[in-house]
mmCIF file of all heavy atoms in Angstrom:
data_model
loop_
_atom_site.group_PDB
_atom_site.id
_atom_site.type_symbol
_atom_site.label_atom_id
_atom_site.label_comp_id
_atom_site.label_asym_id
_atom_site.label_seq_id
_atom_site.Cartn_x
_atom_site.Cartn_y
_atom_site.Cartn_z
ATOM 1 N N ALA A 1 -103.673 -47.154 163.168
ATOM 2 C CA ALA A 1 -104.906 -46.373 163.282
ATOM 3 C C ALA A 1 -105.781 -46.913 164.471
ATOM 4 O O ALA A 1 -106.486 -46.177 165.332
ATOM 5 C CB ALA A 1 -105.679 -46.376 162.080
ATOM 6 N N ALA A 2 -105.816 -48.355 164.613
ATOM 7 C CA ALA A 2 -106.611 -48.929 165.700
ATOM 8 C C ALA A 2 -106.032 -48.455 167.155
ATOM 9 O O ALA A 2 -106.862 -48.349 168.015
ATOM 10 C CB ALA A 2 -106.531 -50.366 165.600
ATOM 11 N N LYS A 3 -104.751 -48.215 167.186
ATOM 12 C CA LYS A 3 -104.094 -47.933 168.433
ATOM 13 C C LYS A 3 -104.057 -46.426 168.758
ATOM 14 O O LYS A 3 -103.790 -45.950 169.782
ATOM 15 C CB LYS A 3 -102.741 -48.519 168.535
ATOM 16 C CG LYS A 3 -102.626 -50.074 168.493
ATOM 17 C CD LYS A 3 -101.292 -50.567 168.442
ATOM 18 C CE LYS A 3 -101.174 -51.945 168.451
ATOM 19 N NZ LYS A 3 -99.716 -52.503 168.382
ATOM 20 N N ASP A 4 -104.353 -45.619 167.723
ATOM 21 C CA ASP A 4 -104.194 -44.146 167.789
ATOM 22 C C ASP A 4 -105.297 -43.530 168.476
ATOM 23 O O ASP A 4 -106.460 -43.582 167.952
ATOM 24 C CB ASP A 4 -104.024 -43.593 166.389
ATOM 25 C CG ASP A 4 -103.539 -42.230 166.337
ATOM 26 O OD1 ASP A 4 -103.686 -41.444 167.373
ATOM 27 O OD2 ASP A 4 -103.071 -41.751 165.367
ATOM 28 N N ASP A 5 -105.115 -42.837 169.702
ATOM 29 C CA ASP A 5 -106.143 -42.204 170.334
ATOM 30 C C ASP A 5 -106.907 -41.239 169.623
ATOM 31 O O ASP A 5 -107.986 -40.827 169.926
ATOM 32 C CB ASP A 5 -105.491 -41.556 171.728
ATOM 33 C CG ASP A 5 -105.039 -42.610 172.707
ATOM 34 O OD1 ASP A 5 -105.392 -43.702 172.492
ATOM 35 O OD2 ASP A 5 -104.406 -42.030 173.684
ATOM 36 N N ARG A 6 -106.136 -40.540 168.668
ATOM 37 C CA ARG A 6 -106.710 -39.413 167.884
ATOM 38 C C ARG A 6 -107.724 -39.846 166.761
ATOM 39 O O ARG A 6 -108.389 -39.030 166.224
ATOM 40 C CB ARG A 6 -105.631 -38.529 167.335
ATOM 41 C CG ARG A 6 -104.632 -38.019 168.329
ATOM 42 C CD ARG A 6 -103.347 -37.540 167.648
ATOM 43 N NE ARG A 6 -102.710 -38.651 166.949
ATOM 44 C CZ ARG A 6 -101.619 -38.572 166.174
ATOM 45 N NH1 ARG A 6 -101.172 -37.283 165.928
ATOM 46 N NH2 ARG A 6 -101.063 -39.592 165.577
ATOM 47 N N ILE A 7 -107.601 -41.175 166.593
ATOM 48 C CA ILE A 7 -108.336 -41.690 165.463
ATOM 49 C C ILE A 7 -109.745 -42.396 165.890
ATOM 50 O O ILE A 7 -109.637 -43.218 166.786
ATOM 51 C CB ILE A 7 -107.589 -42.737 164.554
ATOM 52 C CG1 ILE A 7 -106.426 -41.979 163.931
ATOM 53 C CG2 ILE A 7 -108.512 -43.476 163.563
ATOM 54 C CD1 ILE A 7 -106.882 -40.937 162.955
ATOM 55 N N GLN A 8 -110.877 -41.993 165.411
ATOM 56 C CA GLN A 8 -112.177 -42.466 165.847
ATOM 57 C C GLN A 8 -112.803 -43.443 164.818
ATOM 58 O O GLN A 8 -113.731 -44.127 165.088
ATOM 59 C CB GLN A 8 -113.106 -41.424 166.183
ATOM 60 C CG GLN A 8 -112.883 -40.582 167.420
ATOM 61 C CD GLN A 8 -111.738 -39.634 167.262
ATOM 62 O OE1 GLN A 8 -111.735 -38.830 166.400
ATOM 63 N NE2 GLN A 8 -110.673 -39.782 168.122
ATOM 64 N N ALA A 9 -112.218 -43.500 163.565
ATOM 65 C CA ALA A 9 -112.875 -44.315 162.532
ATOM 66 C C ALA A 9 -111.894 -44.610 161.442
ATOM 67 O O ALA A 9 -110.939 -43.895 161.198
ATOM 68 C CB ALA A 9 -114.124 -43.731 161.959
ATOM 69 N N LEU A 10 -112.084 -45.621 160.700
ATOM 70 C CA LEU A 10 -111.205 -46.079 159.540
ATOM 71 C C LEU A 10 -112.085 -45.887 158.162
ATOM 72 O O LEU A 10 -113.124 -46.483 158.172
ATOM 73 C CB LEU A 10 -110.692 -47.469 159.708
ATOM 74 C CG LEU A 10 -110.000 -48.134 158.489
ATOM 75 C CD1 LEU A 10 -108.686 -47.389 158.395
ATOM 76 C CD2 LEU A 10 -109.669 -49.600 158.761
ATOM 77 N N TYR A 11 -111.393 -45.326 157.230
ATOM 78 C CA TYR A 11 -112.170 -45.076 155.940
ATOM 79 C C TYR A 11 -111.256 -45.719 154.899
ATOM 80 O O TYR A 11 -110.204 -45.291 154.530
ATOM 81 C CB TYR A 11 -112.392 -43.598 155.655
ATOM 82 C CG TYR A 11 -112.492 -43.258 154.263
ATOM 83 C CD1 TYR A 11 -113.084 -43.996 153.246
ATOM 84 C CD2 TYR A 11 -111.944 -41.884 153.943
ATOM 85 C CE1 TYR A 11 -113.127 -43.503 151.980
ATOM 86 C CE2 TYR A 11 -112.101 -41.375 152.577
ATOM 87 C CZ TYR A 11 -112.678 -42.217 151.595
ATOM 88 O OH TYR A 11 -112.815 -41.851 150.335
ATOM 89 N N LEU A 12 -111.628 -46.908 154.343
ATOM 90 C CA LEU A 12 -110.964 -47.611 153.302
ATOM 91 C C LEU A 12 -111.501 -47.185 151.962
ATOM 92 O O LEU A 12 -112.755 -47.257 151.748
ATOM 93 C CB LEU A 12 -111.113 -49.121 153.530
ATOM 94 C CG LEU A 12 -110.545 -49.762 154.671
ATOM 95 C CD1 LEU A 12 -110.707 -51.237 154.636
ATOM 96 C CD2 LEU A 12 -109.001 -49.487 154.692
ATOM 97 N N GLU A 13 -110.717 -46.595 151.096
ATOM 98 C CA GLU A 13 -111.089 -46.302 149.687
ATOM 99 C C GLU A 13 -110.406 -47.439 148.868
ATOM 100 O O GLU A 13 -109.396 -47.737 148.730
ATOM 101 C CB GLU A 13 -110.401 -44.957 149.237
ATOM 102 C CG GLU A 13 -110.740 -44.558 147.945
ATOM 103 C CD GLU A 13 -110.064 -43.240 147.556
ATOM 104 O OE1 GLU A 13 -109.437 -42.599 148.346
ATOM 105 O OE2 GLU A 13 -110.143 -42.895 146.191
ATOM 106 N N LEU A 14 -111.379 -48.101 148.076
ATOM 107 C CA LEU A 14 -111.057 -49.350 147.370
ATOM 108 C C LEU A 14 -111.079 -48.986 145.908
ATOM 109 O O LEU A 14 -112.120 -48.494 145.321
ATOM 110 C CB LEU A 14 -111.891 -50.562 147.812
ATOM 111 C CG LEU A 14 -112.130 -50.781 149.269
ATOM 112 C CD1 LEU A 14 -112.983 -52.068 149.438
ATOM 113 C CD2 LEU A 14 -110.700 -51.119 149.785
ATOM 114 N N HIS A 15 -110.078 -49.586 145.239
ATOM 115 C CA HIS A 15 -109.974 -49.467 143.716
ATOM 116 C C HIS A 15 -109.503 -50.704 143.111
ATOM 117 O O HIS A 15 -108.363 -51.122 143.446
ATOM 118 C CB HIS A 15 -109.102 -48.252 143.247
ATOM 119 C CG HIS A 15 -109.666 -46.969 143.649
ATOM 120 N ND1 HIS A 15 -110.539 -46.273 142.873
ATOM 121 C CD2 HIS A 15 -109.379 -46.061 144.589
ATOM 122 C CE1 HIS A 15 -110.834 -45.103 143.351
ATOM 123 N NE2 HIS A 15 -110.205 -44.973 144.445
ATOM 124 N N ASP A 16 -110.152 -51.384 142.308
ATOM 125 C CA ASP A 16 -109.833 -52.421 141.390
ATOM 126 C C ASP A 16 -108.799 -53.464 142.155
ATOM 127 O O ASP A 16 -107.691 -53.806 141.831
ATOM 128 C CB ASP A 16 -109.080 -51.908 140.218
ATOM 129 C CG ASP A 16 -108.723 -52.978 139.121
ATOM 130 O OD1 ASP A 16 -109.571 -53.859 139.020
ATOM 131 O OD2 ASP A 16 -107.779 -52.729 138.379
ATOM 132 N N ILE A 17 -109.433 -54.161 143.197
ATOM 133 C CA ILE A 17 -108.603 -55.097 144.024
ATOM 134 C C ILE A 17 -108.537 -56.445 143.102
ATOM 135 O O ILE A 17 -109.515 -56.826 142.799
ATOM 136 C CB ILE A 17 -109.298 -55.295 145.353
ATOM 137 C CG1 ILE A 17 -109.419 -53.930 146.185
ATOM 138 C CG2 ILE A 17 -108.462 -56.421 146.208
ATOM 139 C CD1 ILE A 17 -108.205 -53.509 146.676
ATOM 140 N N SER A 18 -107.271 -56.815 143.000
ATOM 141 C CA SER A 18 -107.090 -58.054 142.291
ATOM 142 C C SER A 18 -106.275 -59.101 143.086
ATOM 143 O O SER A 18 -105.805 -60.083 142.508
ATOM 144 C CB SER A 18 -106.318 -57.759 140.971
ATOM 145 O OG SER A 18 -105.095 -57.147 141.262
ATOM 146 N N ALA A 19 -106.148 -58.927 144.261
ATOM 147 C CA ALA A 19 -105.506 -59.812 145.183
ATOM 148 C C ALA A 19 -106.157 -61.231 145.326
ATOM 149 O O ALA A 19 -107.441 -61.215 145.032
ATOM 150 C CB ALA A 19 -105.257 -59.237 146.565
ATOM 151 N N GLY A 20 -105.474 -62.260 145.691
ATOM 152 C CA GLY A 20 -106.028 -63.533 145.914
ATOM 153 C C GLY A 20 -106.708 -63.602 147.243
ATOM 154 O O GLY A 20 -106.693 -62.722 148.145
ATOM 155 N N PHE A 21 -107.415 -64.677 147.518
ATOM 156 C CA PHE A 21 -108.211 -64.865 148.709
ATOM 157 C C PHE A 21 -107.214 -64.977 149.989
ATOM 158 O O PHE A 21 -107.762 -64.632 151.088
ATOM 159 C CB PHE A 21 -108.894 -66.231 148.697
ATOM 160 C CG PHE A 21 -110.080 -66.118 147.700
ATOM 161 C CD1 PHE A 21 -110.099 -67.062 146.542
ATOM 162 C CD2 PHE A 21 -111.167 -65.321 147.935
ATOM 163 C CE1 PHE A 21 -111.224 -66.930 145.703
ATOM 164 C CE2 PHE A 21 -112.179 -65.139 146.971
ATOM 165 C CZ PHE A 21 -112.206 -66.008 145.967
ATOM 166 N N GLY A 22 -106.033 -65.356 149.867
ATOM 167 C CA GLY A 22 -105.129 -65.276 150.987
ATOM 168 C C GLY A 22 -104.912 -63.933 151.585
ATOM 169 O O GLY A 22 -105.042 -63.600 152.726
ATOM 170 N N LYS A 23 -104.552 -63.069 150.618
ATOM 171 C CA LYS A 23 -104.308 -61.540 150.988
ATOM 172 C C LYS A 23 -105.578 -60.946 151.526
ATOM 173 O O LYS A 23 -105.520 -60.159 152.393
ATOM 174 C CB LYS A 23 -103.679 -60.859 149.844
ATOM 175 C CG LYS A 23 -102.323 -61.309 149.431
ATOM 176 C CD LYS A 23 -101.938 -60.559 148.142
ATOM 177 C CE LYS A 23 -100.568 -61.195 147.652
ATOM 178 N NZ LYS A 23 -100.237 -60.719 146.247
ATOM 179 N N LEU A 24 -106.696 -61.277 150.919
ATOM 180 C CA LEU A 24 -108.002 -60.768 151.289
ATOM 181 C C LEU A 24 -108.227 -61.149 152.749
ATOM 182 O O LEU A 24 -108.715 -60.357 153.596
ATOM 183 C CB LEU A 24 -109.164 -61.155 150.388
ATOM 184 C CG LEU A 24 -109.085 -60.766 148.911
ATOM 185 C CD1 LEU A 24 -110.384 -61.218 148.364
ATOM 186 C CD2 LEU A 24 -108.965 -59.241 148.930
ATOM 187 N N ASN A 25 -107.863 -62.405 153.135
ATOM 188 C CA ASN A 25 -108.133 -62.875 154.460
ATOM 189 C C ASN A 25 -107.218 -61.984 155.574
ATOM 190 O O ASN A 25 -107.671 -61.804 156.602
ATOM 191 C CB ASN A 25 -107.796 -64.363 154.555
ATOM 192 C CG ASN A 25 -108.261 -64.890 155.862
ATOM 193 O OD1 ASN A 25 -109.376 -64.780 156.311
ATOM 194 N ND2 ASN A 25 -107.345 -65.474 156.665
ATOM 195 N N GLU A 26 -105.989 -61.688 155.122
ATOM 196 C CA GLU A 26 -105.142 -60.825 155.927
ATOM 197 C C GLU A 26 -105.765 -59.479 156.106
ATOM 198 O O GLU A 26 -105.806 -59.002 157.305
ATOM 199 C CB GLU A 26 -103.748 -60.592 155.157
ATOM 200 C CG GLU A 26 -102.996 -61.939 155.074
ATOM 201 C CD GLU A 26 -102.158 -62.227 156.342
ATOM 202 O OE1 GLU A 26 -101.990 -61.277 157.179
ATOM 203 O OE2 GLU A 26 -101.715 -63.428 156.408
ATOM 204 N N LEU A 27 -106.271 -58.911 155.096
ATOM 205 C CA LEU A 27 -106.889 -57.633 155.247
ATOM 206 C C LEU A 27 -108.251 -57.606 156.046
ATOM 207 O O LEU A 27 -108.508 -56.826 156.939
ATOM 208 C CB LEU A 27 -107.305 -57.005 153.803
ATOM 209 C CG LEU A 27 -106.093 -56.341 153.122
ATOM 210 C CD1 LEU A 27 -106.514 -56.126 151.695
ATOM 211 C CD2 LEU A 27 -105.861 -55.036 153.766
#
């Protein structure tokens, strides 16, 4: 999406995230 000319914004829909701090850092 960051590289897509047609996309102007990112919309993250979040539900019950249970990942650890390592994966959160990747995101």
Side-chain angles (χ1 to χ4, degrees):
K3 297 176 181 179
D4 191 339
D5 288 354
R6 300 164 299 172
I7 296 299
Q8 286 79 53
L10 175 67
Y11 156 33
L12 295 180
E13 182 183 351
L14 306 182
H15 290 279
D16 193 25
I17 303 291
S18 57
F21 290 117
K23 293 173 189 170
L24 293 184
N25 192 53
E26 295 275 341
L27 277 167

